[in-house]
């Protein structure tokens, strides 16, 4: 089934239009807050949201079947000054010139923001509050350093929510959610602090429900107006259908597949307007949407071709909106990516297979439109239909970096480990990157990035940065005084423990400020538990409140480095710690022979226990140390080895490492090998990665592999790929994803980007257009081993 002409026209708009900054949301938000000073903050934010729903333009672009935008542009990037305005003010003069994720902005917009918006928020933003409250020793490691990074938790909204379509949104619609909030509010008396807070929360939900329903009504009116002057009869019918749909949803439960698709987009749009969030996930799309698809097909209202087009239109809407971020954050989340994860396949709550026709439609939509959103994930188990496995392998062969492939069982075990009921654990979907998640959950799934390479550097360099010479870690004795390998390893663990402690401090400070300053009434209405408890998501309203996730970066490269020290210094005695230290200070210049020997030490990713056992030991230690800490709700912190583009900026601040890596080169991401060091086979990489205890790291583990396209070009090759994936998961691993674009094509895309605008690649836990990545990020992807045989 080929892409429709309509979808292709919309796709070209998406590919050829640069994201443009809109000031409208910031203007409306500011004006509303000026008028509501003194009122409870949750109600102020709800009223600002409702004002935006009333005042943002209800634009319907040509060809659209799914409608709604957060500004005046098809690819709108909104601003949220209540979270942060300072980074925007500092960077917006160069928005269109920055190497990663540039935006279009006019001089008039800059002037308006500086004169009309920033003055109100000065001293009142989340960023300013965080910077005032975070302890100095923590800030030294955490604020724009590359050592620790939680920039997206105090310059941006949290996001990281999966709206509950199964039990909340589709059964009720926002009309009934509003009515429930009203009933609960009226049942309370303002005779205690607890009741007052609940009353305020319920009022905020009522206001936001009213807002999103009025926004839909305005789109209904806009569609009617366009239909009245539309001369093309076919398009007129479409506009009248849009008008009917928007007059019903999301106020009422959807009745048709088209209504359900539009409902989903209105929820995404509401989330965007309310907080411009990262990782506002669509959950198990094929499960909650299938009843509408099945019913429409049975009645003749819908056929496979029309359903395919609607899904493709939704994919394009998901890809058009832009998460507006600082240049620092863009280095960690490169490629205009919003991490709207959508999961298909896997078992149902009762344990039976959930694959259905819509699962295949979603795979086909991703292949057809070649958009970077949604982040398509699949769940695989031993009883997954063979047809589904081969469809997954077929999509991998297309070279889009999709889908992310997950072990159904490992995800289930991760959620059990966190305390979920078995049925809920079985019903997991992916959040953001590769985080197993359940829709009734509040969790910071990407709280802090923790630089393992920096921890090792401080252990070997007396607590100092090798590049700046500044003391950044705990004081440590000179490297020459380590008498045996265990001492070196223990020094690394001490430095890593110190970074974990400061990551926790930064997270808890940010959590507390979020509770005080940026409640989330709209998204609270979308998650089960909040209405029952009378509590906002930011205050623990969800059914499950799971501890924040600390993401480890550099597992593979640090395991390689410790192995090099163990072998070259303490076992083979080829060099001394003093000579090795000098080589690292000189970035290996003048020590080429020693570097050659370091590069020859066994490397993680080649199924060699000599180094793989170190990776497992490091990851186990990270889990145990992190789990010692509790967040503001008393939940234990969790660990992850998930990759975004974080392994590139974190590498920039780390000097040379004992494995042979030179200063400032990227580290390793997820549980993937250091780029180019996996010199055996992809099966060997998988066996190494599977030695990590994946079930412990409930924030997700990620393995990236590059395969030569010839491996998956034939049915036999794709069959081998499917078998390899199942074998990998049988070892207890959680996730794998593949790039199958050749180095030759990637180099051509660097030289002629205009010819490769829709070339998708897997960066880490997500795919995006190759030409939208900085040259540095592109080179990091090309540097990965391109495996030519299984």
């Amino acid at each position: 089934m080929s892409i429709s002409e309509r979808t292709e026209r919309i796709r070209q708009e998406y590919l050829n239009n640069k994201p443009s900054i809109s000031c409208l949301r910031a203007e409306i938000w500011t004006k509303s807050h000026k008028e509501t000073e003194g009122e409870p903050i949750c109600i102020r934010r709800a009223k600002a949201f409702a004002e935006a729903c009333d005042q943002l333009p209800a634009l319907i672009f040509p060809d659209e079947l799914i409608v709604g935008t957060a500004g005046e542009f098809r690819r709108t990037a909104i601003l949220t000054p209540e979270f942060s305005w300072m980074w925007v003010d500092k960077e917006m003069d160069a928005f269109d010139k920055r190497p990663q994720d540039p935006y279009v902005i006019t001089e008039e917009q800059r002037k308006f923001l500086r004169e009309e918006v920033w003055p109100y928020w000065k001293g009142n933003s989340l960023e300013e509050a965080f910077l005032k409250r975070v302890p100095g020793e923590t800030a030294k490691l955490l604020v724009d350093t590359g050592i620790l990074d939680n920039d997206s938790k105090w310059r941006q909204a949290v996001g990281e929510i999966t709206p509950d379509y199964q039990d909340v949104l589709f059964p009720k619609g926002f009309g009934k959610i509003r009515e429930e909030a009203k009933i609960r509010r009226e049942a309370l008396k303002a005779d205690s602090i607890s009741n007052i807070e609940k009353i305020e929360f319920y009022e905020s939900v009522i206001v936001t429900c009213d807002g999103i329903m009025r926004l839909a009504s305005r789109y209904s009116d806009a569609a009617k107006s366009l239909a009245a002057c539309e001369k093309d009869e076919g398009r007129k019918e479409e506009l009248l259908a849009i008008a009917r749909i928007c007059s019903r949803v999301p106020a009422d439960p959807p009745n048709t597949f088209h209504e359900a698709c539009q409902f989903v987009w209105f929820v995404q749009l509401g989330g965007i307007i309310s907080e411009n969030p990262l990782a506002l996930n669509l959950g198990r799309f094929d499960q909650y949407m299938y009843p509408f698809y099945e019913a429409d097909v049975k009645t003749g209202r819908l056929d496979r071709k029309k359903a395919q087009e609607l899904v493709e239109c939704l994919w394009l809407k998901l890809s058009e909106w832009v998460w507006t971020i600082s240049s620092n954050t863009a280095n960690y989340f490169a490629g205009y990516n919003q991490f709207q994860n959508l999961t298909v396949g896997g078992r149902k709550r009762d344990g039976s297979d959930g694959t259905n026709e819509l699962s295949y439609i979603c795979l086909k939509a991703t292949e057809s439109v070649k958009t970077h959103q949604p982040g398509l994930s699949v769940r695989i188990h031993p009883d997954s239909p063979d047809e589904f496995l081969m469809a997954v392998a077929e999509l991998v062969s297309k070279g889009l970096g999709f889908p992310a492939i997950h072990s159904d069982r490992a995800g289930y075990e991760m959620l059990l480990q966190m305390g979920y009921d078995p049925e809920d654990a079985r019903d997991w979907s992916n959040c953001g990157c590769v985080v197993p998640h359940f829709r009734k959950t509040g969790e910071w799934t990407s709280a802090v990035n923790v630089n393992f390479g920096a921890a090792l550097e401080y252990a070997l360099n007396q607590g100092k940065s090798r590049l700046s010479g500044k003391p950044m870690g705990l004081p440590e004795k000179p490297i020459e005084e380590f008498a045996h390998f265990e001492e070196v390893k223990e020094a690394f663990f001490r430095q890593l423990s110190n970074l974990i402690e400061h990551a926790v401090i930064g997270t808890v400070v940010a959590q507390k400020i979020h509770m005080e300053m940026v409640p989330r009434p709209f998204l609270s209405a979308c998650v089960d538990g909040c209405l029952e408890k009378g509590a906002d998501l930011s205050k623990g309203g969800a059914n499950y409140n799971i501890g924040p996730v600390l993401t480890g970066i550099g597992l593979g490269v640090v395991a390689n480095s410790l192995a090099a020290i163990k072998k070259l210094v303490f076992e083979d005695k080829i060099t001394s710690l003093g000579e090795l230290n000098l080589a690292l200070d000189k970035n290996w210049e003048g020590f080429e022979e020693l570097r050659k020997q370091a590069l020859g030490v066994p490397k993680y990713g080649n199924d060699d226990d000599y180094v793989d056992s170190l990776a497992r030991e490091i990851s186990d230690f990270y889990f145990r140390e992190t789990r010692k800490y509790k967040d503001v709700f008393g939940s234990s912190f969790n660990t992850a080895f998930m990759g975004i583009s974080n392994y590139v900026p974190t590498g920039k601040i780390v000097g040379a490492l004992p494995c042979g890596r030179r200063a400032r080169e990227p580290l390793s991401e997820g549980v993937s090998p250091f780029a180019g060091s996996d010199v055996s086979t992809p099966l060997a990489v998988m066996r190494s990665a599977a030695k990590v205890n994946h079930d412990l790291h409930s924030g997700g583990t990620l393995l990236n592999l590059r395969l030569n396209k010839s491996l998956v070009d034939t049915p036999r090759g794709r069959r081998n790929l499917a078998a390899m994936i199942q074998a990998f998961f049988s070892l207890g691993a959680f996730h794998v994803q593949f790039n199958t674009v050749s180095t030759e094509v990637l180099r051509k895309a660097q030289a002629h980007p205009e010819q490769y605008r829709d070339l998708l690649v897997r960066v880490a836990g997500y795919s995006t257009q190759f030409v939208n990545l900085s040259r540095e990020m592109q080179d990091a992807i090309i540097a990965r081993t391109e495996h030519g045989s299984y």
Side-chain angles (χ1 to χ4, degrees), residues 164-172 349 424 427 438-440 528:
D164 192 342
Y165 290 99
Q166 288 93 319
D167 296 329
V168 177
L169 292 167
F170 279 177
K172 299 178 182 178
R349 292 176 66 84
D424 292 345
D427 197 19
F438 181 57
R439 52 195 156 84
K440 302 178 189 294
D528 206 8

Side-chain angles (χ1 to χ4, degrees), residues 170-194:
F170 279 177
K172 299 178 182 178
F174 282 96
K176 288 184 180 177
I177 294 171
R178 182 196 188 281
E179 184 61 26
E180 182 179 341
K182 182 181 177 184
I183 291 169
R184 290 179 180 275
R185 182 196 63 184
E186 292 176 350
L188 293 171
K189 294 182 179 180
D191 55 3
S192 68
I193 293 295
S194 174

Side-chain angles (χ1 to χ4, degrees), residues 110-130:
R110 296 186 187 103
K111 183 174 185 292
F112 172 78
L113 290 169
R114 286 178 172 138
E115 292 180 0
E116 302 297 332
V117 177
W118 299 165
Y120 178 77
W121 295 104
K122 186 175 182 180
N124 295 315
S125 69
L126 186 84
E127 177 182 24
E128 291 164 281
F130 178 83

Side-chain angles (χ1 to χ4, degrees), residues 303-434:
D303 58 21
R304 173 73 179 261
K305 182 178 180 180
K306 184 63 176 177
Q308 189 73 52
E309 185 178 52
L310 282 169
V311 170
E312 290 169 359
C313 286
L314 179 58
W315 268 217
L316 284 157
K317 291 304 292 187
L318 293 165
S319 297
E320 284 175 352
W321 86 268
V322 180
W323 185 44
T324 323
I325 50 178
S326 70
S327 58
N328 178 69
T329 307
N331 286 328
Y332 286 78
F333 302 92
Y336 298 120
N337 204 62
Q338 309 95 317
F339 296 88
Q340 300 164 100
N341 210 308
L342 182 149
T343 305
V344 299
R347 297 189 188 276
K348 298 179 182 179
R349 292 176 66 84
D350 64 3
S352 62
D353 177 63
T355 309
N356 58 48
E357 193 170 355
L358 199 51
S359 312
Y360 297 94
I361 288 174
C362 291
L363 294 177
K364 187 63 180 177
T366 294
E367 176 189 340
S368 298
V369 297
K370 298 182 176 65
T371 56
H372 70 297
Q373 291 292 289
L376 181 66
S377 296
V378 299
R379 288 172 46 179
I380 301 295
H381 56 82
D383 300 322
S384 290
D386 183 68
E387 181 187 0
F388 185 63
L389 275 173
M390 296 313 297
V392 168
E394 175 76 18
L395 183 54
V396 169
S397 75
K398 301 300 180 182
L400 307 178
F402 285 118
I405 307 167
H406 298 264
S407 163
D408 197 280
R409 178 74 187 181
Y412 168 72
E413 290 172 345
M414 287 172 172
L415 266 64
L416 281 182
Q417 186 260 120
M418 288 190 287
Y420 284 84
D421 291 338
E423 270 196 340
D424 292 345
R426 208 176 284 126
D427 197 19
W428 66 272
S429 59
N430 261 308
C431 175
C433 187
V434 293

Side-chain angles (χ1 to χ4, degrees), residues 17 24 26 30 54 138 188 200 207 213 238 266 306 313 327 453 487 519 535 551 567 579 662 666 697 704 746 774 777:
N17 286 331
L24 295 179
T30 303
D54 288 341
T138 299
L188 293 171
E200 292 169 353
V207 172
M213 290 189 290
E238 289 175 351
F266 273 136
K306 184 63 176 177
C313 286
S327 58
E487 277 193 88
T551 301
K567 186 164 183 61
E579 183 185 27
R662 295 189 187 276
H697 306 292
N704 252 319
L746 294 176
S774 66
M777 192 67 240

Side-chain angles (χ1 to χ4, degrees), residues 130 134-143 145-151 153-154 444 446-452 455 472 494-512 547-553 622 625-632 637-640:
F130 178 83
V134 66
E137 283 300 303
T138 299
K140 183 176 79 169
L141 295 169
L142 191 72
V143 179
T145 63
I147 303 164
L148 300 173
D149 183 85
N150 71 337
D151 171 286
K153 293 296 179 287
W154 47 270
W444 288 18
S446 180
V448 186
N449 293 290
V450 180
N451 189 327
F452 282 27
M472 301 302 292
R494 277 195 299 275
Q495 297 293 343
L496 182 57
S497 296
N498 182 56
L499 294 188
I500 292 169
E501 180 180 343
H502 285 288
V504 168
I505 292 169
T507 301
V508 172
V509 170
Q511 280 186 309
K512 186 173 187 299
V549 173
L550 305 186
T551 301
I553 306 163
Y622 187 52
E625 191 67 19
T626 300
R627 292 286 285 183
K628 292 179 181 178
Y629 295 97
K630 307 281 189 182
D631 74 348
V632 294
F637 275 73
N638 294 296
T639 51

